[in-house]
Each structure stands twice: as C-alpha cells, then as structure tokens.
Amino acid sequence: MINEPLLRETEILEDLARHAQDDSGAAEEVGRDLRDRYRRWYEEVLLGLPDELGKRFREQYEGSLAKPRIKQYVREPQKKWSLYNHVPKPLRAHGPWQYPFESCFLEPFQEQKHILAVASRHTRPHDRMTDTFGVLSDISYRLPMAVSILQRPIQGRAGLSVHDEYDLQRILHALLTLHFEDVRPEETTPSKAGGSYRIDFLLRREKIAVEAKMMRRSLTPRKVGDQLVRDIFGYERHEDVEGLFAVIYDPERQIDNPRGFESDLSKRDSPFPVRVVVTQG
C-alpha cells in the first residue's frame, strides 16, 4: 500500500541526494544515509505497486550503462568524472561528477514521485473502503446480539419489536451513528432508464451505500440475491457512492450457506467494490 509516510519520505530523500555532492566534509556521511534510506524506501514502495507501475518505477532506478540513473548515483555520488579536465569547457556544464545530481537522480526521482502519486490515487480510496467495510462487518455480525437486547422487556416495559426491515433499519441507523459522522438515511439515486433507487443509508464521507435486508418466508435467498444485483446497478449511478455494503439479517437461518452466499455476491477487486454480510440469529 502506498501510504502517507512513503510519500513524505520523498522530500527527505531528495534533500539528502542534493547534498550528497556537496564539497563539505559531511557529504560522505550524507551519502551513506542516502543509500540506506533510499534502499529501504525503494523496496517498500515496490511491494505496494501493481506490476506495470512497478516496472516503470524500477526502470528509473536501474538505468543503463549509457544512461546512468538513481542506482549509480546513490552508490557513488562523489565519484569524479575522469575526463573532466580533458574535455572542452562547454562539455563541463554538468560539473565534475561522473553521475550528476540533475540527470542521474533528480530527473528519474521526479518520475518515481509521479508514479507514486498515480498509485496512491488508485489505492488509497480502496484501502480506506476496505477499512470501513471491516467496521461495518463488525457491526453487522453483532447485530443479532443488539436486537436480542432491545427485544427484552425491562422493569415492566415491553421490549422493541423487530418485525421487518424498517425496524431493522432503525437499529442499524443508531449503530451507524456511533461509528460514522455523516450518516444519511434514504438517499435516492438519479432517475434513469425508467426508475431510481433508494439507498437505505449513505456514509457521506466514506462514499459507501449501506443496504439492510431482513429475511422472511416470502423473501428467498434467490430473491435477495436478485435484489442486490439490481441495487448494485442502481447505486453505481449515485455521484457520492463508490461502494456498497449490504447486511442481511437472517433470524430464522433461511440461508443454509451464509459464507458461500457472502462470497458469491461480494466483489473485492471491482471498480465498484461490494461487501455482503449475512448475520444470523
């Protein structure tokens, strides 16, 4: 994963590289620090890049004999150009170094920073969504316990009745507000192709639609699956929705294979991620 610390480290690396060719006595120590920090940073970044971006990232590091790049610079930033005093003055513009900072480090490093920016735009939203899906899953798997507590009578007062999805949504709404700042109930998608879709809840900051369904005798697992397929089609149109979380409350255990049901309907690597959780009483 391309995270903020990796992005911030680029500023430190660039500063170290810039001073690794100073004429001061500290340049050698700066060069050692640059080698160690860049190596660790480089290896960690590669772990978080997809194959195509990783290939481009490595090319900026490896370079070639004819075109030295970062690899050569960080190894020997203080290496002198042996022909410096034997070539015409116009050819000495890049200085006395075998591997000049501007062409051998800064130029390819700027390209590596661009690659990181591209990768972070693609990975960070999905990483945040995965974290949010995790919180929603924890809430959903504890939902039967919350329902059971609310249904109990206490000191002569009747417990809360949970007969249908509207009752379930009231409980879920209360639980969501404990974990998320901006929970919007009953958002509607734009009307298109003959109809619009009502989202049970929209987590506005996280850009996730939350759908709650409660199994009953007239609602078979097949029907629930068909409903979710239609929901996905409709919710993708909402400009503030980038993923869907669906909790299916199954108090009478009508779904025989809940984990298989979840797996069949969830879409982890899709441009529009979907997480389905079946929670049973």
Side-chain angles (χ1 to χ4, degrees):
M1 182 179 69
I2 304 304
N3 52 34
E4 289 296 333
L6 288 177
L7 295 170
R8 289 196 299 269
E9 182 71 4
T10 60
E11 299 177 9
I12 299 172
L13 292 171
E14 185 173 326
D15 186 63
L16 287 172
R18 192 180 300 276
H19 292 289
Q21 289 186 337
D22 287 349
D23 291 328
S24 66
E28 186 175 345
E29 183 178 347
V30 170
R32 286 196 298 268
D33 193 15
L34 172 65
R35 281 192 295 275
D36 292 342
R37 294 188 74 134
Y38 183 87
R39 177 182 54 79
R40 292 194 298 268
W41 176 83
Y42 176 79
E43 292 173 352
E44 190 171 349
V45 168
L46 280 178
L47 292 174
L49 291 178
D51 291 344
E52 182 58 34
L53 290 179
K55 179 182 177 182
R56 288 170 50 192
F57 191 84
R58 281 191 295 269
E59 287 172 352
Q60 299 303 318
Y61 171 74
E62 293 289 346
S64 65
L65 187 61
K67 193 174 184 179
R69 305 303 262 175
I70 295 172
K71 180 179 181 179
Q72 290 76 26
Y73 184 88
V74 298
R75 282 183 176 178
E76 299 179 288
Q78 287 279 315
K79 185 176 182 179
K80 298 286 188 174
W81 182 27
S82 60
L83 299 178
Y84 180 74
N85 293 319
H86 305 284
V87 297
K89 191 172 182 179
L91 297 180
R92 303 178 189 175
H94 69 273
W97 309 110
Q98 180 72 31
Y99 307 118
F101 169 73
E102 295 287 341
S103 60
C104 293
F105 187 89
L106 186 60
E107 179 184 323
F109 192 63
Q110 293 292 347
E111 178 60 22
Q112 286 188 328
K113 288 166 65 176
H114 173 70
I115 291 169
L116 254 68
V118 171
S120 67
R121 286 197 297 271
H122 284 80
T123 59
R124 282 185 292 175
H126 277 65
D127 292 333
R128 289 196 297 268
M129 189 169 295
T130 298
D131 292 341
T132 304
F133 279 169
V135 174
L136 291 168
S137 295
D138 289 342
I139 294 172
S140 299
Y141 286 127
R142 291 180 173 89
L143 190 57
M145 185 182 298
V147 170
S148 176
I149 292 171
L150 291 171
Q151 285 178 322
R152 296 173 192 165
I154 183 170
Q155 294 184 348
R157 299 180 183 181
L160 180 68
S161 297
V162 183
H163 295 301
D164 54 30
E165 286 180 4
Y166 294 106
D167 295 330
L168 180 68
Q169 288 167 11
R170 290 179 63 197
I171 298 173
L172 184 59
H173 191 185
L175 293 173
L176 291 175
T177 58
L178 296 176
H179 296 270
F180 303 99
E181 291 186 7
D182 191 351
V183 181
R184 304 190 182 187
E186 298 191 349
E187 282 280 327
T188 303
T189 66
S191 180
K192 187 177 180 181
S196 60
Y197 293 79
R198 185 183 62 80
I199 301 171
D200 288 344
F201 303 101
L202 171 63
L203 305 184
R204 181 65 178 79
R205 292 179 59 181
E206 292 76 13
K207 294 184 177 293
I208 293 178
V210 178
E211 184 72 14
K213 297 187 182 295
M214 181 171 174
M215 296 297 296
R216 53 189 183 276
R217 293 188 179 181
S218 61
L219 185 63
T220 65
R222 179 184 292 275
K223 287 182 179 179
V224 171
D226 291 342
Q227 287 180 5
L228 286 175
V229 170
R230 291 195 296 271
D231 290 341
I232 293 168
F233 172 77
Y235 296 171
E236 285 179 310
R237 303 181 203 160
H238 198 295
E239 62 180 6
D240 291 324
V241 175
E242 296 180 356
L244 169 66
F245 183 90
V247 53
I248 302 169
Y249 179 48
D250 183 20
E252 297 184 4
R253 298 180 175 267
Q254 292 177 239
I255 299 175
D256 294 330
N257 181 10
R259 302 294 84 84
F261 190 89
E262 293 173 349
S263 179
D264 289 344
L265 290 169
S266 297
K267 298 193 296 182
R268 179 175 299 178
D269 298 321
S270 167
F272 187 82
V274 176
R275 176 77 62 84
V276 176
V277 165
V278 177
T279 183
Q280 298 181 315

